[in-house]
Amino acid sequence: MSGILKLEGVGRSFGGVRAVHDVSSSIKAGELFGVIGPNGAGKTTLFNLITGLIRPDQGRVLLNDIDITRKSPEQIATLGIARTYQTIRLFDTMTVRENVMVGGHIGLSYSLLDALFWRRSYKDGEGGLGARVDELLDTVGLSKRANDAAGTLSYGEQRRLELARALAARPSVLMLDEPAAGMNSREAIDLAALLRRLVAGSGLTVVLIEHNVRMIMNLCDRIAVMNFGQKLAEGVPSVVRNDAAVVEAYLGKAA
Protein backbone atom coordinates (compact mmCIF):
# COMPACT_ATOMS: atom_id res chain seq x y z
CA MET A 1 0.00 0.00 0.00
CA SER A 2 1.22 3.52 -0.81
CA GLY A 3 0.53 6.46 1.48
CA ILE A 4 1.98 9.01 3.86
CA LEU A 5 0.49 7.21 6.89
CA LYS A 6 0.20 3.43 6.89
CA LEU A 7 -1.29 1.06 9.44
CA GLU A 8 -0.35 -2.60 9.14
CA GLY A 9 -2.46 -4.93 11.27
CA VAL A 10 -2.45 -2.55 14.24
CA GLY A 11 -4.05 -3.72 17.47
CA ARG A 12 -4.13 -3.29 21.22
CA SER A 13 -5.76 -5.29 24.01
CA PHE A 14 -6.46 -4.22 27.58
CA GLY A 15 -6.79 -7.33 29.73
CA GLY A 16 -9.21 -9.53 27.83
CA VAL A 17 -10.71 -6.66 25.80
CA ARG A 18 -9.51 -6.05 22.26
CA ALA A 19 -9.90 -2.28 21.96
CA VAL A 20 -8.37 -2.26 18.46
CA HIS A 21 -7.81 -5.39 16.40
CA ASP A 22 -5.93 -5.91 13.13
CA VAL A 23 -6.58 -2.48 11.58
CA SER A 24 -4.83 -1.80 8.29
CA SER A 25 -5.11 1.29 6.09
CA SER A 26 -3.08 3.57 3.85
CA ILE A 27 -3.81 7.29 3.93
CA LYS A 28 -2.57 9.39 1.04
CA ALA A 29 -0.80 12.74 1.19
CA GLY A 30 -3.27 15.61 0.83
CA GLU A 31 -6.25 13.42 1.70
CA LEU A 32 -9.16 14.22 3.99
CA PHE A 33 -9.74 10.89 5.71
CA GLY A 34 -12.59 10.31 8.14
CA VAL A 35 -12.95 7.70 10.89
CA ILE A 36 -16.47 7.05 12.14
CA GLY A 37 -18.22 4.45 14.26
CA PRO A 38 -20.49 4.06 17.28
CA ASN A 39 -19.32 5.04 20.76
CA GLY A 40 -16.72 2.57 22.04
CA ALA A 41 -15.74 1.47 18.53
CA GLY A 42 -12.03 2.09 19.18
CA LYS A 43 -11.58 5.30 17.21
CA THR A 44 -9.77 7.37 19.85
CA THR A 45 -7.71 4.34 20.91
CA LEU A 46 -6.58 4.04 17.29
CA PHE A 47 -5.54 7.71 17.30
CA ASN A 48 -3.63 7.12 20.54
CA LEU A 49 -1.81 4.17 18.97
CA ILE A 50 -0.79 6.26 15.96
CA THR A 51 0.42 9.23 18.01
CA GLY A 52 2.38 7.21 20.59
CA LEU A 53 0.21 7.75 23.66
CA ILE A 54 -0.38 3.98 23.71
CA ARG A 55 1.90 1.31 22.28
CA PRO A 56 0.37 -1.28 19.93
CA ASP A 57 0.77 -4.91 20.92
CA GLN A 58 0.42 -5.98 17.31
CA GLY A 59 1.18 -4.47 13.91
CA ARG A 60 3.08 -1.40 12.75
CA VAL A 61 2.50 2.31 12.13
CA LEU A 62 4.56 4.00 9.42
CA LEU A 63 4.89 7.69 8.58
CA ASN A 64 6.59 8.37 5.25
CA ASP A 65 7.78 4.73 5.44
CA ILE A 66 9.46 5.35 8.81
CA ASP A 67 8.36 2.90 11.49
CA ILE A 68 7.00 5.04 14.35
CA THR A 69 5.34 2.18 16.26
CA ARG A 70 7.68 2.41 19.26
CA LYS A 71 8.46 6.10 19.16
CA SER A 72 7.40 8.57 21.84
CA PRO A 73 4.67 11.19 21.26
CA GLU A 74 7.38 13.88 21.17
CA GLN A 75 9.37 12.02 18.51
CA ILE A 76 6.24 11.41 16.45
CA ALA A 77 5.27 15.09 16.67
CA THR A 78 8.74 16.09 15.49
CA LEU A 79 8.43 13.70 12.53
CA GLY A 80 5.25 15.41 11.41
CA ILE A 81 2.06 14.29 13.17
CA ALA A 82 0.05 16.81 15.19
CA ARG A 83 -3.28 16.18 16.88
CA THR A 84 -6.12 17.60 18.90
CA TYR A 85 -8.22 15.83 21.54
CA GLN A 86 -11.88 15.22 22.33
CA THR A 87 -11.67 17.56 25.30
CA ILE A 88 -10.22 21.03 24.89
CA ARG A 89 -6.67 21.32 26.28
CA LEU A 90 -5.68 24.97 26.29
CA PHE A 91 -3.70 27.15 28.69
CA ASP A 92 -6.65 29.25 29.82
CA THR A 93 -4.67 32.07 31.45
CA MET A 94 -2.25 32.46 28.54
CA THR A 95 -3.19 34.60 25.57
CA VAL A 96 -4.50 33.18 22.35
CA ARG A 97 -1.21 34.07 20.65
CA GLU A 98 0.87 32.45 23.40
CA ASN A 99 -1.11 29.21 23.10
CA VAL A 100 -0.28 28.98 19.39
CA MET A 101 3.37 29.83 20.07
CA VAL A 102 3.58 26.80 22.35
CA GLY A 103 2.63 24.50 19.49
CA GLY A 104 5.19 26.08 17.19
CA HIS A 105 8.18 25.37 19.40
CA ILE A 106 8.27 21.76 18.22
CA GLY A 107 11.19 21.46 15.86
CA LEU A 108 12.95 24.72 16.78
CA SER A 109 16.65 24.00 17.27
CA TYR A 110 17.89 26.71 19.62
CA SER A 111 18.97 25.84 23.16
CA LEU A 112 18.13 27.30 26.56
CA LEU A 113 21.46 29.17 26.52
CA ASP A 114 20.61 30.61 23.11
CA ALA A 115 17.37 31.96 24.60
CA LEU A 116 19.01 33.31 27.77
CA PHE A 117 21.66 35.20 25.81
CA TRP A 118 19.41 36.22 22.91
CA ARG A 119 21.64 34.56 20.36
CA ARG A 120 20.83 34.80 16.66
CA SER A 121 19.43 31.25 16.48
CA TYR A 122 16.90 32.19 19.17
CA LYS A 123 15.95 35.54 17.61
CA ASP A 124 15.61 34.05 14.13
CA GLY A 125 13.57 31.11 15.39
CA GLU A 126 11.20 33.22 17.47
CA GLY A 127 10.85 35.83 14.73
CA GLY A 128 9.89 33.22 12.16
CA LEU A 129 7.51 31.57 14.58
CA GLY A 130 5.86 34.87 15.42
CA ALA A 131 5.08 35.51 11.76
CA ARG A 132 3.75 31.98 11.41
CA VAL A 133 1.48 32.43 14.45
CA ASP A 134 0.04 35.67 13.08
CA GLU A 135 -0.71 33.91 9.78
CA LEU A 136 -2.42 31.01 11.54
CA LEU A 137 -4.56 33.26 13.73
CA ASP A 138 -5.72 35.02 10.58
CA THR A 139 -6.43 31.67 8.94
CA VAL A 140 -8.69 30.49 11.79
CA GLY A 141 -10.31 33.90 12.27
CA LEU A 142 -8.83 34.74 15.68
CA SER A 143 -6.54 37.66 14.86
CA LYS A 144 -8.71 40.12 16.78
CA ARG A 145 -8.56 37.90 19.89
CA ALA A 146 -4.77 37.39 19.78
CA ASN A 147 -4.09 39.18 23.07
CA ASP A 148 -7.13 37.85 24.95
CA ALA A 149 -6.85 35.03 27.47
CA ALA A 150 -7.73 31.69 25.89
CA GLY A 151 -10.23 31.04 28.68
CA THR A 152 -12.37 33.99 27.55
CA LEU A 153 -13.03 32.51 24.10
CA SER A 154 -16.32 30.87 23.17
CA TYR A 155 -16.38 27.09 22.77
CA GLY A 156 -16.19 27.27 18.98
CA GLU A 157 -13.32 29.76 19.16
CA GLN A 158 -11.42 27.49 21.54
CA ARG A 159 -11.77 24.63 19.05
CA ARG A 160 -10.32 26.84 16.32
CA LEU A 161 -7.49 27.87 18.64
CA GLU A 162 -6.60 24.22 19.21
CA LEU A 163 -6.50 23.76 15.46
CA ALA A 164 -4.14 26.74 15.06
CA ARG A 165 -1.87 25.44 17.82
CA ALA A 166 -1.62 22.03 16.13
CA LEU A 167 -0.88 23.66 12.77
CA ALA A 168 1.90 25.76 14.31
CA ALA A 169 4.03 22.61 14.49
CA ARG A 170 3.98 22.44 10.67
CA PRO A 171 2.69 18.86 10.54
CA SER A 172 2.39 16.80 7.41
CA VAL A 173 -0.47 14.85 9.05
CA LEU A 174 -3.08 16.56 11.22
CA MET A 175 -5.25 14.29 13.39
CA LEU A 176 -8.44 15.79 14.81
CA ASP A 177 -10.49 13.97 17.44
CA GLU A 178 -14.09 15.21 17.18
CA PRO A 179 -13.21 18.77 16.10
CA ALA A 180 -16.87 19.73 15.59
CA ALA A 181 -18.02 18.45 19.01
CA GLY A 182 -20.15 21.10 20.71
CA MET A 183 -20.33 23.29 17.62
CA ASN A 184 -23.58 24.52 16.15
CA SER A 185 -24.38 23.74 12.51
CA ARG A 186 -22.95 27.05 11.23
CA GLU A 187 -19.68 26.54 13.10
CA ALA A 188 -19.40 22.97 11.78
CA ILE A 189 -19.93 24.15 8.20
CA ASP A 190 -17.27 26.84 8.64
CA LEU A 191 -14.85 24.29 10.12
CA ALA A 192 -15.34 21.95 7.15
CA ALA A 193 -14.67 24.83 4.74
CA LEU A 194 -11.51 25.73 6.67
CA LEU A 195 -10.21 22.15 6.52
CA ARG A 196 -10.82 22.03 2.78
CA ARG A 197 -8.84 25.26 2.32
CA LEU A 198 -5.95 23.94 4.43
CA VAL A 199 -5.69 20.75 2.40
CA ALA A 200 -6.03 22.54 -0.95
CA GLY A 201 -3.50 25.22 -0.04
CA SER A 202 -0.75 23.18 1.57
CA GLY A 203 -1.18 19.51 0.71
CA LEU A 204 -1.78 18.77 4.40
CA THR A 205 -3.19 15.34 5.22
CA VAL A 206 -6.13 15.47 7.65
CA VAL A 207 -7.46 12.47 9.55
CA LEU A 208 -10.49 13.14 11.69
CA ILE A 209 -12.83 11.32 14.02
CA GLU A 210 -16.28 12.81 14.02
CA HIS A 211 -19.78 11.86 15.18
CA ASN A 212 -21.29 14.39 12.79
CA VAL A 213 -21.78 11.82 10.03
CA ARG A 214 -23.30 14.31 7.60
CA MET A 215 -20.23 16.51 7.92
CA ILE A 216 -17.89 13.56 7.38
CA MET A 217 -19.79 12.33 4.33
CA ASN A 218 -19.70 15.76 2.71
CA LEU A 219 -16.12 16.57 3.67
CA CYS A 220 -13.92 13.50 3.37
CA ASP A 221 -12.34 11.88 0.33
CA ARG A 222 -12.48 8.46 2.02
CA ILE A 223 -13.93 7.09 5.23
CA ALA A 224 -13.10 4.16 7.49
CA VAL A 225 -15.83 2.74 9.72
CA MET A 226 -14.96 1.02 12.99
CA ASN A 227 -17.02 -1.12 15.33
CA PHE A 228 -15.90 -3.20 18.32
CA GLY A 229 -12.26 -2.32 17.57
CA GLN A 230 -12.28 -3.59 13.99
CA LYS A 231 -12.53 -1.87 10.64
CA LEU A 232 -15.89 -2.66 9.09
CA ALA A 233 -15.50 -0.79 5.82
CA GLU A 234 -13.36 1.75 4.01
CA GLY A 235 -13.92 3.72 0.85
CA VAL A 236 -15.45 6.79 -0.70
CA PRO A 237 -18.51 8.17 1.11
CA SER A 238 -21.03 6.97 -1.49
CA VAL A 239 -19.85 3.37 -1.06
CA VAL A 240 -19.51 3.44 2.74
CA ARG A 241 -22.96 5.00 3.14
CA ASN A 242 -24.60 1.99 1.52
CA ASP A 243 -22.45 -0.76 3.05
CA ALA A 244 -24.69 -3.31 4.77
CA ALA A 245 -22.31 -3.82 7.73
CA VAL A 246 -22.14 -0.06 8.30
CA VAL A 247 -25.91 0.33 8.21
CA GLU A 248 -26.27 -2.50 10.72
CA ALA A 249 -23.65 -1.02 13.07
CA TYR A 250 -25.53 2.28 13.22
CA LEU A 251 -29.13 1.16 12.94
CA GLY A 252 -29.09 -2.43 14.16
CA LYS A 253 -30.02 -5.59 12.31
CA ALA A 254 -33.47 -5.62 10.79
CA ALA A 255 -35.91 -8.04 12.42
Side-chain angles (χ1 to χ4, degrees), residues 54-69:
I54 302 172
R55 292 274 176 89
D57 53 23
Q58 69 175 90
R60 297 196 305 164
V61 181
L62 295 98
L63 177 65
N64 289 316
D65 292 324
I66 297 171
D67 190 339
I68 62 171
T69 311

PDB file of all heavy atoms in Angstrom, residues 54-69:
ATOM      1  N   ILE A  54      -0.258   5.389  23.344  1.00  0.00           N
ATOM      2  CA  ILE A  54      -0.376   3.983  23.710  1.00  0.00           C
ATOM      3  C   ILE A  54       0.449   3.188  22.709  1.00  0.00           C
ATOM      4  O   ILE A  54       0.464   3.512  21.513  1.00  0.00           O
ATOM      5  CB  ILE A  54      -1.846   3.498  23.673  1.00  0.00           C
ATOM      6  CG1 ILE A  54      -2.721   4.320  24.614  1.00  0.00           C
ATOM      7  CG2 ILE A  54      -1.944   2.014  24.024  1.00  0.00           C
ATOM      8  CD1 ILE A  54      -4.201   4.010  24.473  1.00  0.00           C
ATOM      9  N   ARG A  55       1.126   2.153  23.181  1.00  0.00           N
ATOM     10  CA  ARG A  55       1.904   1.306  22.279  1.00  0.00           C
ATOM     11  C   ARG A  55       1.047   0.150  21.756  1.00  0.00           C
ATOM     12  O   ARG A  55       0.384  -0.531  22.544  1.00  0.00           O
ATOM     13  CB  ARG A  55       3.127   0.739  23.013  1.00  0.00           C
ATOM     14  CG  ARG A  55       4.168   1.787  23.389  1.00  0.00           C
ATOM     15  CD  ARG A  55       5.129   2.032  22.250  1.00  0.00           C
ATOM     16  NE  ARG A  55       6.071   3.108  22.564  1.00  0.00           N
ATOM     17  CZ  ARG A  55       7.230   2.903  23.174  1.00  0.00           C
ATOM     18  NH1 ARG A  55       7.581   1.691  23.573  1.00  0.00           N
ATOM     19  NH2 ARG A  55       8.042   3.925  23.388  1.00  0.00           N
ATOM     20  N   PRO A  56       1.064  -0.107  20.450  1.00  0.00           N
ATOM     21  CA  PRO A  56       0.368  -1.282  19.930  1.00  0.00           C
ATOM     22  C   PRO A  56       1.001  -2.567  20.456  1.00  0.00           C
ATOM     23  O   PRO A  56       2.202  -2.605  20.729  1.00  0.00           O
ATOM     24  CB  PRO A  56       0.565  -1.179  18.412  1.00  0.00           C
ATOM     25  CG  PRO A  56       0.965   0.237  18.155  1.00  0.00           C
ATOM     26  CD  PRO A  56       1.702   0.682  19.382  1.00  0.00           C
ATOM     27  N   ASP A  57       0.196  -3.607  20.618  1.00  0.00           N
ATOM     28  CA  ASP A  57       0.771  -4.914  20.923  1.00  0.00           C
ATOM     29  C   ASP A  57       0.724  -5.833  19.706  1.00  0.00           C
ATOM     30  O   ASP A  57       1.074  -7.001  19.790  1.00  0.00           O
ATOM     31  CB  ASP A  57       0.118  -5.561  22.149  1.00  0.00           C
ATOM     32  CG  ASP A  57      -1.391  -5.644  22.072  1.00  0.00           C
ATOM     33  OD1 ASP A  57      -1.937  -5.626  20.949  1.00  0.00           O
ATOM     34  OD2 ASP A  57      -2.041  -5.719  23.136  1.00  0.00           O
ATOM     35  N   GLN A  58       0.292  -5.275  18.578  1.00  0.00           N
ATOM     36  CA  GLN A  58       0.421  -5.981  17.308  1.00  0.00           C
ATOM     37  C   GLN A  58       0.461  -4.953  16.181  1.00  0.00           C
ATOM     38  O   GLN A  58      -0.067  -3.843  16.302  1.00  0.00           O
ATOM     39  CB  GLN A  58      -0.747  -6.954  17.066  1.00  0.00           C
ATOM     40  CG  GLN A  58      -2.088  -6.276  16.808  1.00  0.00           C
ATOM     41  CD  GLN A  58      -3.184  -7.264  16.462  1.00  0.00           C
ATOM     42  OE1 GLN A  58      -3.869  -7.745  17.345  1.00  0.00           O
ATOM     43  NE2 GLN A  58      -3.363  -7.547  15.184  1.00  0.00           N
ATOM     44  N   GLY A  59       1.152  -5.308  15.099  1.00  0.00           N
ATOM     45  CA  GLY A  59       1.176  -4.471  13.915  1.00  0.00           C
ATOM     46  C   GLY A  59       2.175  -3.328  13.965  1.00  0.00           C
ATOM     47  O   GLY A  59       2.943  -3.177  14.919  1.00  0.00           O
ATOM     48  N   ARG A  60       2.144  -2.516  12.894  1.00  0.00           N
ATOM     49  CA  ARG A  60       3.076  -1.401  12.753  1.00  0.00           C
ATOM     50  C   ARG A  60       2.353  -0.151  12.271  1.00  0.00           C
ATOM     51  O   ARG A  60       1.335  -0.220  11.580  1.00  0.00           O
ATOM     52  CB  ARG A  60       4.168  -1.730  11.727  1.00  0.00           C
ATOM     53  CG  ARG A  60       5.068  -2.886  12.082  1.00  0.00           C
ATOM     54  CD  ARG A  60       6.324  -2.856  11.210  1.00  0.00           C
ATOM     55  NE  ARG A  60       6.009  -2.836   9.776  1.00  0.00           N
ATOM     56  CZ  ARG A  60       6.896  -2.495   8.824  1.00  0.00           C
ATOM     57  NH1 ARG A  60       8.128  -2.132   9.155  1.00  0.00           N
ATOM     58  NH2 ARG A  60       6.550  -2.522   7.550  1.00  0.00           N
ATOM     59  N   VAL A  61       2.936   1.014  12.634  1.00  0.00           N
ATOM     60  CA  VAL A  61       2.495   2.311  12.126  1.00  0.00           C
ATOM     61  C   VAL A  61       3.684   2.948  11.422  1.00  0.00           C
ATOM     62  O   VAL A  61       4.780   3.024  11.986  1.00  0.00           O
ATOM     63  CB  VAL A  61       2.009   3.232  13.268  1.00  0.00           C
ATOM     64  CG1 VAL A  61       1.531   4.577  12.701  1.00  0.00           C
ATOM     65  CG2 VAL A  61       0.909   2.568  14.082  1.00  0.00           C
ATOM     66  N   LEU A  62       3.478   3.395  10.191  1.00  0.00           N
ATOM     67  CA  LEU A  62       4.565   4.001   9.420  1.00  0.00           C
ATOM     68  C   LEU A  62       4.154   5.389   8.944  1.00  0.00           C
ATOM     69  O   LEU A  62       3.033   5.580   8.453  1.00  0.00           O
ATOM     70  CB  LEU A  62       4.938   3.137   8.215  1.00  0.00           C
ATOM     71  CG  LEU A  62       5.521   1.759   8.537  1.00  0.00           C
ATOM     72  CD1 LEU A  62       4.439   0.696   8.444  1.00  0.00           C
ATOM     73  CD2 LEU A  62       6.677   1.423   7.615  1.00  0.00           C
ATOM     74  N   LEU A  63       5.068   6.331   9.083  1.00  0.00           N
ATOM     75  CA  LEU A  63       4.894   7.692   8.585  1.00  0.00           C
ATOM     76  C   LEU A  63       5.992   7.950   7.573  1.00  0.00           C
ATOM     77  O   LEU A  63       7.177   7.904   7.920  1.00  0.00           O
ATOM     78  CB  LEU A  63       4.969   8.698   9.736  1.00  0.00           C
ATOM     79  CG  LEU A  63       4.872  10.173   9.356  1.00  0.00           C
ATOM     80  CD1 LEU A  63       3.495  10.498   8.780  1.00  0.00           C
ATOM     81  CD2 LEU A  63       5.176  11.064  10.548  1.00  0.00           C
ATOM     82  N   ASN A  64       5.596   8.213   6.328  1.00  0.00           N
ATOM     83  CA  ASN A  64       6.594   8.369   5.255  1.00  0.00           C
ATOM     84  C   ASN A  64       7.565   7.192   5.228  1.00  0.00           C
ATOM     85  O   ASN A  64       8.781   7.373   5.057  1.00  0.00           O
ATOM     86  CB  ASN A  64       7.353   9.689   5.408  1.00  0.00           C
ATOM     87  CG  ASN A  64       6.493  10.897   5.074  1.00  0.00           C
ATOM     88  OD1 ASN A  64       5.769  10.896   4.080  1.00  0.00           O
ATOM     89  ND2 ASN A  64       6.542  11.909   5.925  1.00  0.00           N
ATOM     90  N   ASP A  65       7.025   5.998   5.446  1.00  0.00           N
ATOM     91  CA  ASP A  65       7.776   4.734   5.440  1.00  0.00           C
ATOM     92  C   ASP A  65       8.763   4.593   6.595  1.00  0.00           C
ATOM     93  O   ASP A  65       9.592   3.682   6.600  1.00  0.00           O
ATOM     94  CB  ASP A  65       8.512   4.532   4.107  1.00  0.00           C
ATOM     95  CG  ASP A  65       7.538   4.307   2.960  1.00  0.00           C
ATOM     96  OD1 ASP A  65       6.500   3.656   3.183  1.00  0.00           O
ATOM     97  OD2 ASP A  65       7.806   4.785   1.842  1.00  0.00           O
ATOM     98  N   ILE A  66       8.679   5.483   7.581  1.00  0.00           N
ATOM     99  CA  ILE A  66       9.464   5.353   8.806  1.00  0.00           C
ATOM    100  C   ILE A  66       8.600   4.668   9.857  1.00  0.00           C
ATOM    101  O   ILE A  66       7.464   5.096  10.110  1.00  0.00           O
ATOM    102  CB  ILE A  66       9.919   6.731   9.325  1.00  0.00           C
ATOM    103  CG1 ILE A  66      10.836   7.415   8.311  1.00  0.00           C
ATOM    104  CG2 ILE A  66      10.631   6.598  10.669  1.00  0.00           C
ATOM    105  CD1 ILE A  66      11.152   8.850   8.651  1.00  0.00           C
ATOM    106  N   ASP A  67       9.105   3.624  10.466  1.00  0.00           N
ATOM    107  CA  ASP A  67       8.364   2.905  11.493  1.00  0.00           C
ATOM    108  C   ASP A  67       8.332   3.741  12.773  1.00  0.00           C
ATOM    109  O   ASP A  67       9.361   3.970  13.407  1.00  0.00           O
ATOM    110  CB  ASP A  67       9.028   1.551  11.757  1.00  0.00           C
ATOM    111  CG  ASP A  67       8.178   0.633  12.638  1.00  0.00           C
ATOM    112  OD1 ASP A  67       7.294   1.142  13.370  1.00  0.00           O
ATOM    113  OD2 ASP A  67       8.395  -0.589  12.600  1.00  0.00           O
ATOM    114  N   ILE A  68       7.139   4.207  13.145  1.00  0.00           N
ATOM    115  CA  ILE A  68       6.998   5.035  14.348  1.00  0.00           C
ATOM    116  C   ILE A  68       6.281   4.286  15.471  1.00  0.00           C
ATOM    117  O   ILE A  68       5.910   4.873  16.478  1.00  0.00           O
ATOM    118  CB  ILE A  68       6.247   6.351  14.043  1.00  0.00           C
ATOM    119  CG1 ILE A  68       4.813   6.070  13.550  1.00  0.00           C
ATOM    120  CG2 ILE A  68       7.023   7.186  13.024  1.00  0.00           C
ATOM    121  CD1 ILE A  68       3.955   7.311  13.439  1.00  0.00           C
ATOM    122  N   THR A  69       6.130   2.981  15.316  1.00  0.00           N
ATOM    123  CA  THR A  69       5.338   2.179  16.259  1.00  0.00           C
ATOM    124  C   THR A  69       5.814   2.319  17.691  1.00  0.00           C
ATOM    125  O   THR A  69       5.000   2.369  18.623  1.00  0.00           O
ATOM    126  CB  THR A  69       5.388   0.692  15.851  1.00  0.00           C
ATOM    127  OG1 THR A  69       5.096   0.568  14.459  1.00  0.00           O
ATOM    128  CG2 THR A  69       4.370  -0.118  16.644  1.00  0.00           C
TER     129      THR A  69
END
